[in-house]
Amino acid sequence: MHISTSVRAITPSMTIGMDDRARRMRRQGIDVISFAAGEPDFDTPEVIKRAADEAIREGFTKYTAPAGIIELRQAVAARLEADYGARYAPEEVVITAGGKPALFYALRTLCEPGDEVLVPVPAWVSYMEQVKLADARPVPVPTHAGEDFQPLPSRVAPLVTGRTRAMVLNSPHNPTGTVYTRETLAGLVELSRKHEFVLLSDEIYESMVYDGTRHYCVSATWPEARDRVVLLNSMSKTYAMTGWRIGYAAAPQPVAAAITDIQGHLAGNPNSIAQRAALAAFQEHVDPGKMVAEYDRRRAYVVSRLNALPGVRCTTPRGAFYAFPDVSGLLGRPGGPATSAALCEHLLERAHVAIVPGEAFEAPGFMRISYAISLSRIEEGLNRVAHAVAAMQ
């Protein structure tokens, strides 16, 4: 059967693939420690689960409006204003079946075939693929560890052309853990004004910042840019609701209406029960503070252990729950792995540790380590990595 050219061009998600391999090995009785998954290891809070139970018992199991239930859209708008001062009407908020559809629907809404979308690299695995599926062309924007992986406006400006339609922002950042500074964001906002492109601001890790670092909500901090910003978020990370599949987009009304039209013909609507669960998270003011404090404790341990490994350098992440060490010092030795992908393969097969290589994020020579697993498993996993690295010397 014929498979379309655009689908054949998709690169499968290496993060999902690595975690799936770890699961298969576990089913074979192998004790694999996975640093690959990008999801909280904490359970969904009880108050959220109870709301889902109540929705089921009440028979709240039918279709909803394509944009989501009005109560949840109102709650998202109220929360954005309370937390950041960003003002959105409920008609400018669309609830989606996860964060990924929110991004894809926005890209399909904004891009004509051949339009260009700027994507800072390293980049989350789905950004490039979604841009291509939207018939647009991803334009990588290089960032560097020595500059804290900031997408500096001076590096972005030469890449802007007459076909530039949008730029993806992701702060706090997956996979590097960087948090974009106010200066960086201000420069990008000015570039978007000057060249009339849209900022797709993915703020899914907003609650996970450390060391007094501040997260800047783009549409709130620069209200004059509001009409050029599509704010993207999800319940997955802050509320430990990855499997519930509830995301949202906040955007100018014409964009929100178009996103709603697309969702109406694809997903139809987000899951009704999950919407009621998400509503409870907002209404009950579920606080992720304890979860974030635990991530902070793990972060310090992970960075310390990684920097103690010969040939490994790791900057301290200021947000999200990932470390992104430079492992180029371990590569190219006689008889050893030549690439970070080969190194991760070596660690999985020899040490039974699953780590996503930098190649997945357009960043060869790096690895992404999630510390969204228990500290005891982190300690054991890094012990295995240390022994494997020592054996390579």
Side-chain angles (χ1 to χ4, degrees), residues 4 18 42 56 105 148 205 235 248 255 266 292 300 309 312 337 351:
S4 70
M18 185 61 78
F42 294 88
I56 293 170
Y105 299 160
D148 194 30
Y205 295 98
M235 307 299 288
Y248 57 88
V255 175
L266 294 179
V292 175
L309 295 175
V312 176

Side-chain angles (χ1 to χ4, degrees), residues 65-198:
I69 59 175
I70 185 62
E71 296 87 350
L72 183 52
R73 287 184 281 142
Q74 289 171 333
V76 169
R79 186 241 167 190
L80 289 172
E81 183 169 11
D83 286 0
Y84 300 114
R87 295 187 176 182
Y88 287 95
E91 294 74 24
E92 296 176 304
V93 175
V94 184
I95 310 302
T96 55
K100 288 182 178 181
L103 171 64
F104 180 67
Y105 299 160
L107 287 166
R108 288 298 301 174
T109 295
L110 297 169
C111 294
E112 299 288 353
D115 280 349
E116 297 173 349
V117 178
L118 300 164
V119 182
V121 293
W124 175 52
V125 293
S126 292
Y127 289 145
M128 298 290 189
E129 303 309 315
Q130 288 206 13
V131 170
K132 289 185 284 186
L133 284 170
D135 289 331
R137 187 173 76 87
V139 177
V141 177
T143 68
H144 304 282
E147 297 168 343
D148 194 30
F149 295 108
Q150 298 286 316
L152 300 179
S154 60
R155 296 188 185 279
V156 175
L159 300 174
V160 177
T161 72
R163 296 304 302 268
T164 301
R165 190 72 182 95
M167 179 175 183
V168 175
L169 306 180
N170 177 213
S171 178
H173 188 260
N174 175 10
T176 67
T178 196
V179 178
Y180 296 168
T181 65
R182 186 183 183 107
E183 180 183 13
T184 293
L185 289 169
L188 297 176
V189 167
E190 173 57 22
L191 276 178
S192 76
R193 182 200 64 78
K194 181 178 179 181
H195 297 283
E196 298 184 335
F197 61 82
V198 176

Side-chain angles (χ1 to χ4, degrees), residues 277-341:
L279 178 61
F282 292 127
Q283 290 179 334
E284 300 298 328
H285 303 287
V286 173
D287 183 1
K290 290 183 179 179
M291 180 173 66
V292 175
E294 177 60 20
Y295 289 147
D296 192 10
R297 188 166 73 104
R298 298 173 188 177
R299 175 185 69 118
Y301 179 81
V302 167
V303 171
S304 174
R305 287 292 305 271
L306 289 172
N307 280 323
L309 295 175
V312 176
R313 294 174 296 166
C314 185
T315 58
T316 300
R318 304 295 180 190
F321 46 60
Y322 308 106
F324 200 60
D326 180 343
V327 295
S328 57
L330 299 176
L331 307 178
R333 298 175 181 178
T339 65
S340 48

Side-chain angles (χ1 to χ4, degrees), residues 99 103 124 127 167-174 199-206 215 218 230-234:
L103 171 64
W124 175 52
Y127 289 145
M167 179 175 183
V168 175
L169 306 180
N170 177 213
S171 178
H173 188 260
N174 175 10
L199 298 173
L200 300 170
S201 187
D202 181 350
E203 303 184 13
I204 191 170
Y205 295 98
E206 60 178 342
H215 163 69
V218 175
V230 177
L231 182 63
L232 305 165
N233 212 320
S234 165

